[in-house]
Amino acid sequence: MPSIDQMASQMSALCEGDTVICSTLVKMFGDAPWAPLVSSAITIVLILVLAFIIRRFAHRVITRVVNRAATGGSITSRFRKGAATDGIDALLHERRKQRAETMGSVLKHVASIVILGTAVLTVLDRLTIPIAPLLTSVGILGVAIGFGAQELVKDFIAGMFMLLEDQYGVGDVIDAGAAVGTVEAVTLRVTRLRDSDGRVWYVRNGTITRVGNESQGWSRAYMDVPVAYDADIVGVRVLLEQVAEEIWADPELRESKMVEEPRVYGVEQLSDSSLVFRISAKTLPSAQAEVARELRLRVKTALDTAGIPMVASA
């Protein structure tokens, strides 16, 4: 270990090479023997204070960027405005806010590590402690951890991109390949799903190669209606359009589950035994099953009332 006199002489040499702060302080203190030590101590304090100021400024910038990212315009403006689309906008805003806050937290931690780590290394160098062996050791340790924790790093990187791209969020119904269910929790490493049987699945983000999201933006409910070849095509289409108008006129469905009026696409398929008509409706996320059940009920009732039988399509 170097003695105090040796450290003082080394700090004095450092101050002589430092023409910005330390050498200026030494000149202010005159030829006192303690001037290099005091000047170096003041320089260290200034370095730490400057590091915390830069860290605070970086956090403020990240917070401002996160707040701006969390408040975006409505992406459902192309739909009619109403309770349903207002619900979509509220859901998307909350998802955007959660994603932005998560990314902001990660960026703040990274900024703190980089800024404070640089300040600590600068202080160690100012204290004449050699940092080259330390940097070499950290580099070797980083390589070893990188090789030993490749899967963990892969999971974290996949989780970062998943959050950035808003692939899914809590409450979404997704098909992650390994499991299908409702997202209950999302971290940078794993995604927790609960399937229709109540089973909880923990899926590592790095193992997810494709995701099917049934709850993002909007969904679609549809029904294929097979009728006989000799059925009145025009009459069947008019009947289905009346059913679509009735469903759209239902205030409960229109205001809380649907975003556009149902459409009748006419003859969708031709088989050797039937003509297949299709009726579909654009709905709120995850509301397609309930709307589809209502479609089936009303179409079947309307066909029975009109005396038009449905036939099995080949």
Side-chain angles (χ1 to χ4, degrees):
M1 292 291 295
S3 63
I4 297 178
D5 293 337
Q6 291 175 338
M7 291 182 63
S9 62
Q10 291 175 352
M11 288 185 179
S12 178
L14 287 174
C15 280
E16 291 176 358
D18 184 358
T19 59
V20 180
I21 300 176
C22 194
S23 61
T24 303
L25 292 174
V26 169
K27 292 178 181 179
M28 290 176 58
F29 293 138
D31 297 330
W34 45 264
L37 289 175
V38 175
S39 301
S40 295
I42 295 176
T43 303
I44 290 173
V45 172
L46 290 177
I47 291 172
L48 293 177
V49 170
L50 181 62
F52 280 100
I53 291 175
I54 295 176
R55 174 179 174 270
R56 183 176 179 82
F57 176 75
H59 283 200
R60 288 174 65 91
V61 171
I62 292 172
T63 300
R64 181 170 299 181
V65 173
V66 166
N67 291 337
R68 183 174 299 178
T71 57
S74 168
I75 69 169
T76 60
S77 57
R78 62 184 181 276
F79 301 141
R80 64 170 186 88
K81 295 305 293 180
T85 50
D86 290 343
I88 292 180
D89 287 338
L91 178 63
L92 292 176
H93 173 72
E94 185 62 27
R95 287 168 56 90
R96 192 184 300 114
K97 180 180 178 182
Q98 292 177 359
R99 186 175 76 256
E101 289 177 349
T102 302
M103 292 306 303
S105 176
V106 173
L107 291 175
K108 286 179 180 179
H109 281 88
V110 172
S112 296
I113 292 173
V114 172
I115 296 171
L116 296 181
T118 303
V120 169
L121 292 177
T122 305
V123 169
L124 292 178
D125 183 63
R126 176 63 58 181
L127 294 174
T128 70
I129 298 175
I131 62 174
L134 178 62
L135 293 176
T136 303
S137 301
V138 171
I140 295 174
L141 181 62
V143 172
I145 293 176
F147 277 110
Q150 294 183 50
E151 296 298 328
L152 183 62
V153 174
K154 181 180 178 181
D155 294 339
F156 272 89
I157 293 176
M160 287 283 292
F161 278 103
M162 179 271 296
L163 289 173
L164 282 172
E165 298 169 359
D166 191 24
Q167 297 174 6
Y168 54 84
V170 175
D172 287 355
V173 179
I174 67 170
D175 178 357
V180 179
T182 303
V183 179
E184 290 192 338
V186 177
T187 66
L188 289 179
R189 195 179 72 86
V190 297
T191 296
R192 190 175 78 222
L193 303 175
R194 187 178 296 273
D195 63 18
S196 57
D197 296 328
R199 188 182 296 109
V200 177
W201 294 82
Y202 294 87
V203 184
R204 287 179 27 232
N205 295 329
T207 63
I208 301 177
T209 57
R210 59 107 175 107
V211 177
N213 194 330
E214 299 181 9
S215 308
Q216 201 168 48
W218 53 270
S219 300
R220 189 182 297 278
Y222 71 91
M223 176 186 178
D224 289 337
V225 184
V227 297
Y229 258 100
D230 57 357
D232 182 3
I233 296 179
V234 176
V236 172
R237 178 160 188 163
V238 170
L239 182 64
L240 295 178
E241 289 174 348
Q242 291 175 353
V243 172
E245 292 175 358
E246 291 175 1
I247 292 178
W248 185 243
D250 188 325
E252 181 180 355
L253 292 173
R254 178 172 181 173
E255 296 300 328
S256 62
K257 296 180 177 62
M258 301 172 66
V259 296
E260 282 187 359
E261 183 177 359
R263 299 178 59 186
V264 177
Y265 289 97
V267 179
E268 182 72 17
Q269 298 178 19
L270 290 173
S271 69
D272 57 355
S273 60
S274 63
L275 302 172
V276 180
F277 289 80
R278 173 167 292 184
I279 178 173
S280 70
K282 190 173 290 186
T283 71
L284 280 175
S286 301
Q288 70 271 23
E290 187 173 353
V291 175
R293 285 193 291 268
E294 189 67 22
L295 276 174
R296 288 191 287 270
L297 176 62
R298 299 200 182 203
V299 167
K300 181 64 169 62
T301 302
L303 291 176
D304 289 345
T305 303
I308 302 175
M310 295 179 64
V311 299
S313 58

